[in-house]
């Protein structure tokens, strides 16, 4: 087999994966775990691996691994990869760019005749966005044990289908879920390439960065009770309208985040009864808050909690993930290798963060995103930057597997 | 037949209607047009009429009329009534109090041996709340022609069922919808008794008021576009988050309403994609605004429209009803008859308003609501006040049918 040049290889692979799960109406993607779209992406992965003579292994959680070399015989390998699923109406690059770039990097190494001293693999983690069952990074959390097998099987989608049943329907046996020592033992180092989801590289005028850390992040739900009443006949002074409290909290979240140099978002709200002429009886809002350190995030949340309390509401922490630093020596090594590449933290969670928290030496590469927009059909990366990403990833694999 | 005393009659009828369509979980009512609950309420009405020897007529829109006397032979009659349907999780009194009180008033007149010189009827208007098909006062609007027959038949519920089909399934032929001259000709005067939906009578320490007018009221939808983006990685300065615009508008609506002595409510909002970690791509909010005159309401709406425009959004008027004054001579006559009863306007729409706008001499009576709360399971009226309402209505019918 003669592998194509990196640019040709990348473009070919990208062209194969781009139509899968794309909504022609919006141009966005709907690639959810254990659906027919997910099955098509898994078939594509297996086929790309087979085209390259790589051995495909599916782990206990359903993540796919395409091995060049034998990690069981020759020791833990260098793994590059990402995910293929999407948020609702997501972009083309978040996830697939890392998997496609890993295959293209393998092609590049082979074209230049590189013979690895350690096994190399391309990995595809399932259900990273958690769009269907509500838990992000489900594939990597299951194999590290960060998500308990029973809890994972019992997670339900919007139609009430448990994840275990969805897996079984898609042909994957949910009976083997649980921490996967065999799979973890094979990973010597993990490198996840990902489209940048902000404008750090745009501002620095550079195509590729090395990730340093994942910001601490969490989700909080705030329940604001009110009193259902008639919108036409209830005097303003007699009202207990929780929509007013919600509005004040949304604006306060933004102000607090700016003051503490964090980010805060109220992207979801449920109103009861949500009628035009009804003062709501209850408004439930959610806060997503992240920042460079725990203190900033907790300062934002504390301000919001005080405001919710003032309005007679309650706050519940739905999730919290402390800061995750990638392997500092590895980060320095990759930055030096890539011509003193910028080193940037990110506010987004990734499978790389789950593996790093589980003790796997882990790093990330980010590829420039000209608008910074992500989780949207407008998400983009220029082809030249994608090829620069493939070159960087190939250099990293060569350096680590030499 | 020996009719019972007013209090006994009211309590008996109230006990019959109270369990129908009640949600045992919340104590609220779910009585929606052309459902099995609606059919049970219609059966109850027909049975209460039959018990009293009244002739039940169903009009082209499905409203029910129970006649004491013959309006076709003896000329237009004096009609008392209201509706039996509810908002989602609504209270027991809004609607049924007017129908039950009308039957009890007929019983009272008969007990005292009154022989009417003109026919008297109890009316039950269907689908007043518009909870299922989105148009309030559908029953009265259809017979007056304020709601076009074709448009009415085509209105769809949340499951996509057209009103025409729902009527047909419930056994009412939708083919006869349209302005109902025969029914309108029979109504000499219409008096609707209703639980007060505010605290006017509480403040005045009186059990019963006469309605003077219905405030002008309308509904406006405002669409706020934003840019979908990742909640964790998008800097605050790079965001176009329509939830912030929505929050500012909710608070501004309250401030503007207070300044213009009107009422304004944002009780409904839809967010796309409504995800915890997604900056929304679009927020659609609704404004319900009402006031003592057109100028106040339009001043509120103009302020909101300017703010929506500032945020790059658009405003659409979904409905507008100008002020409706009840018959001034009739209002004065009833207030004098009822011992100089207070005369109060209301911010709520009613079938009485639709009939008044169609030229029918119309008035309303309001019964004290100790909390002012309506459209909620907490809606209430003391039994002594309900009996005072029956007495007042009986006095009004006797005066008008003498």
């Amino acid at each position: 087999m003669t592998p194509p040049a990196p640019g040709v290889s990348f473009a070919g692979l990208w062209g194969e994966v781009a139509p899968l799960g794309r909504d022609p109406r919006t141009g966005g993607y709907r690639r959810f775990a254990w659906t027919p779209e997910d099955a098509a992406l898994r078939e594509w992965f297996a086929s790309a691996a087979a085209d390259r003579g790589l051995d495909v292994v599916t782990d206990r959680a359903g993540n796919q691994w395409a091995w060049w070399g034998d990690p069981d015989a020759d020791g833990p390998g260098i793994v590059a990869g990402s995910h293929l699923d999407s948020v609702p109406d997501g972009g083309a690059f978040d996830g697939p760019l890392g998997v496609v770039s890993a295959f293209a990097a393998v092609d590049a190494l082979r074209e230049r005749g590189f013979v690895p001293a350690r096994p190399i693999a391309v990995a595809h983690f399932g259900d990273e966005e958690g769009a269907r069952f509500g838990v992000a990074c489900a594939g990597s959390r299951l194999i590290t044990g960060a998500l308990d097998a029973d809890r994972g099987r019992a997670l339900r989608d919007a139609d009430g289908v448990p994840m275990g049943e969805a897996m079984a329907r898609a042909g994957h046996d949910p009976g083997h879920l649980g921490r996967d020592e065999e799979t973890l033992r094979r990973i010597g180092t993990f490198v996840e390439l990902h489209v940048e989801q902000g404008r750090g590289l745009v501002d620095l005028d550079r195509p590729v960065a090395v990730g340093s850390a994942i910001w601490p992040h969490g989700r909080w739900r705030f329940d604001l009770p009110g009193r259902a009443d008639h919108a036409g006949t209830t005097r303003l002074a007699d009202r207990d309208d929780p929509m007013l409290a919600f509005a004040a909290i949304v604006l306060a979240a933004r102000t607090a985040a700016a003051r503490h140099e964090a980010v805060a978002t109220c992207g979801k709200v449920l109103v009861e009864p949500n009628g035009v002429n009804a003062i709501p009886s209850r408004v439930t809002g959610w806060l997503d808050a992240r920042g460079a350190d725990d203190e900033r995030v907790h300062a934002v949340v504390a301000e919001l909690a005080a405001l919710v309390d003032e309005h007679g509401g309650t706050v519940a922490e739905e999730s919290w993930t402390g800061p995750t630093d990638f392997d500092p020596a590895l980060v320095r090594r990759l930055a030096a290798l890539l011509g003193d590449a910028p080193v940037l933290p990110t506010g987004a969670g990734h499978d790389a963060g789950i593996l790093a928290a589980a003790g796997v030496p882990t790093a990330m590469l980010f590829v420039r995103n000209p608008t910074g927009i992500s989780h949207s059909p407008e998400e983009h990366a220029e082809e030249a930057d994608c090829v620069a990403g493939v070159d960087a990833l190939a250099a990293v694999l060569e350096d680590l597997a030499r």
Side-chain angles (χ1 to χ4, degrees), chain A:
Chain A
M1 185 179 70
T2 307
V8 176
S9 162
F10 177 84
L13 288 158
W14 192 253
E16 289 165 15
V17 82
L20 305 177
R22 189 167 180 274
D23 180 340
R25 193 178 53 89
T26 64
Y29 288 87
R30 305 184 70 81
R31 293 164 164 171
F32 306 142
W34 309 112
T35 60
E37 292 74 22
D38 190 51
L41 290 159
R42 289 169 182 276
E43 276 176 35
W44 167 80
F45 182 91
S47 160
D51 288 350
R52 287 161 179 79
L54 307 176
D55 296 325
V56 175
V57 180
T58 301
D59 68 23
R60 293 167 63 173
N63 308 304
Q64 293 176 296
W65 307 77
W67 283 102
W68 176 12
D70 182 347
D72 297 324
D74 303 324
I78 313 303
V79 181
S82 188
H83 64 97
L84 294 173
D85 68 319
S86 78
V87 294
D89 223 26
F93 295 83
D94 177 354
L97 184 65
V99 179
V100 165
S101 296
F103 278 123
V106 166
D107 290 346
L109 293 182
R110 286 170 162 185
E111 197 200 25
R112 69 179 79 152
F114 175 68
V115 179
R118 301 174 62 183
I120 287 176
V122 178
H124 158 217
F125 285 99
D127 201 7
E128 195 263 357
E129 301 288 3
R132 183 171 175 192
F133 296 102
V135 171
C137 301
S140 54
R141 282 186 206 269
L142 281 167
I143 61 163
T144 60
L147 173 59
D148 174 74
D150 284 337
R151 195 180 148 231
R153 276 186 287 261
L155 291 170
R156 287 176 186 272
D157 69 9
D159 295 326
V161 179
M163 184 194 275
E165 192 177 318
M167 279 184 178
R169 283 188 202 170
H172 183 76
D173 183 350
H176 300 299
L177 296 188
R179 185 172 157 95
D180 189 338
E181 297 293 354
E182 187 180 26
T183 295
L184 293 171
R185 198 171 50 232
R186 291 170 180 156
I187 316 170
T189 299
F190 178 60
V191 182
E192 180 167 4
L193 179 146
H194 203 281
V195 66
E196 197 193 352
Q197 298 177 289
R199 291 158 51 91
L201 284 169
V202 173
D203 291 352
L204 294 165
D205 198 22
R206 297 282 293 266
V208 176
V210 176
S212 58
I214 295 178
W215 281 4
H217 53 280
R219 294 176 175 192
W220 292 265
R221 190 186 72 240
F222 45 100
D223 288 296
L224 301 163
R227 195 180 56 237
D229 227 326
H230 191 293
T233 57
T234 314
R235 288 180 302 202
L236 297 182
D238 292 336
R239 296 177 177 217
D240 179 5
D241 181 350
M243 192 74 96
L244 295 171
F246 173 73
I249 288 163
V250 166
L251 296 177
R254 168 69 168 226
T255 308
R259 191 166 51 248
H260 296 291
E261 294 181 315
V263 294
T265 309
C266 296
K268 180 174 178 179
V269 61
L270 296 178
V271 179
E272 290 175 27
N274 210 31
V276 178
N277 64 345
I279 297 167
S281 58
R282 175 174 295 271
V283 173
T284 302
W286 279 262
L287 170 74
D288 178 303
R290 318 190 189 204
D293 53 54
D294 291 10
E295 290 67 32
R296 290 170 204 272
V297 180
H298 283 131
V300 172
V301 175
E303 285 192 28
L304 269 285
L307 195 54
V308 170
D309 187 60
E310 256 178 52
H311 284 99
T314 54
V315 178
E317 183 177 288
E318 290 202 333
S319 72
W320 170 251
T321 308
T324 306
D325 288 323
F326 295 121
D327 186 294
L330 184 60
V331 169
R332 282 194 299 275
R333 177 172 170 177
L334 300 197
L337 178 74
L338 300 176
D340 204 17
V343 175
L344 297 175
T346 176
H350 293 287
D351 294 309
I354 304 300
L355 295 186
V360 176
T362 300
M364 289 191 77
L365 299 180
F366 296 123
V367 171
R368 174 164 53 193
N369 176 337
T371 61
I373 295 171
S374 186
H375 283 191
S376 156
E378 292 179 61
E379 179 185 271
H380 188 63
E382 295 294 338
E383 188 164 344
D385 288 349
C386 294
V387 173
V390 173
D391 288 341
L393 187 58
V396 166
L397 293 179
E398 186 170 0
D399 185 59
L400 296 175
R402 195 188 299 278

